[in-house]
Amino acid sequence: DERITITINDGVYTEKVKVHSWNSHLTLRGRTPGGVVIRWDDYFDKMNRGPNSTFHTATLLVQGDDFHAENLTIENTAGPVGQAVALAVEADRCVFDNCRMLGNQDTLYADGANARQLYRNCTIEGTTDFIFGGATALFENCTIHSKSNSYITAASTPQGRPYGFVFLNCKLTAAKGVDNVYLGRPWRSYARTVFIKCDMGSHIRPSGWHNWNAPEKEGTVFYAEGANT
């Protein structure tokens, strides 16, 4: 019933970590920014659990509501080998402050039934669909770093939910040679993603969005941009 804070000493922790649903109101706090690295290397083919293998790859899996994280680096070190989640959040009222999520495809899975999540002053990097899922999630003052020509988001917002992914005051950057990146494509038909007051690098395609080769989704998704530079 009360918040429990675990302070983590600086170091590299090579392990998979799971915060169970019954471990609510938990805070994991690194002592210094960038000093704590949690990493593992599971990926889709390695898991060999059928079409849902992606969802078993996470380095850190959060299922407990009211989870907080501060000063952590969460990394999937499998490399460019397909779906490989660094952080999966399937819980409500979760907050990530000054954290780094590092990977390639499917770096951050933000999901959960009616889940609301906040990512503030974070760095999220990846290649394809590296921010995906159905949560209502606000990304505020974050750096979103593309490592290849592909797609940043793949929202799966459930039908009827008013908000999906919201990027506010974020900076979109890219690795050297990356010059052809979409803001997003709809993993599900009612995906909702908006970018507001963001600084977008020249790697972002003028067209912005892709329909995932399903033109009918253009009639159901909500994709928007406002006051960006």
Side-chain angles (χ1 to χ4, degrees), residues 131-134 153-157 164-165 185-188 191-193 223:
I131 301 173
F132 74 113
T153 67
S156 56
T157 318
F165 294 160
R185 59 180 180 170
W187 181 20
R188 297 289 183 265
R192 302 176 76 86
T193 304
Y223 284 156

Side-chain angles (χ1 to χ4, degrees), residues 193-226:
T193 304
V194 300
F195 288 82
I196 304 168
K197 297 182 179 179
C198 293
D199 180 1
M200 298 185 181
S202 60
H203 62 291
I204 299 299
R205 291 177 59 97
S207 55
W209 311 90
H210 191 279
N211 62 23
W212 210 324
N213 299 319
E216 65 276 9
K217 290 183 179 179
E218 294 184 15
T220 56
V221 304
F222 184 85
Y223 284 156
E225 306 162 47

Side-chain angles (χ1 to χ4, degrees), residues 114-125:
N114 301 311
R116 297 156 293 177
Q117 300 164 13
L118 172 61
Y119 301 85
R120 185 168 49 204
N121 302 318
C122 292
T123 295
I124 307 165
E125 71 168 37

Side-chain angles (χ1 to χ4, degrees), residues 145-150 174-181 202-203:
H145 187 69
S146 294
K147 297 167 64 177
S148 71
N149 289 326
S150 196
K176 184 178 180 180
V178 174
D179 58 5
N180 195 357
V181 174
S202 60
H203 62 291

Side-chain angles (χ1 to χ4, degrees), residues 49-155:
R49 296 191 182 189
N52 290 320
S53 293
T54 301
F55 308 104
H56 297 278
T57 64
T59 299
L60 171 60
L61 171 61
V62 177
Q63 295 178 324
D65 291 342
D66 298 286
F67 175 85
H68 289 183
E70 303 172 22
N71 301 332
L72 301 182
T73 295
I74 304 132
E75 183 176 11
N76 190 309
T77 59
V81 292
Q83 299 96 320
V85 178
L87 171 64
V89 186
E90 303 172 355
D92 192 21
R93 298 182 303 272
C94 295
V95 178
F96 291 79
D97 260 316
N98 198 34
C99 291
R100 297 190 302 160
M101 301 83 172
L102 310 180
N104 288 276
Q105 183 174 349
D106 292 355
T107 302
L108 170 60
Y109 179 48
D111 203 66
N114 301 311
R116 297 156 293 177
Q117 300 164 13
L118 172 61
Y119 301 85
R120 185 168 49 204
N121 302 318
C122 292
T123 295
I124 307 165
E125 71 168 37
T127 55
T128 300
D129 304 337
F130 61 95
I131 301 173
F132 74 113
T136 294
L138 174 61
F139 300 86
E140 186 175 13
N141 299 322
C142 292
T143 297
I144 310 299
H145 187 69
S146 294
K147 297 167 64 177
S148 71
N149 289 326
S150 196
Y151 308 86
I152 294 175
T153 67

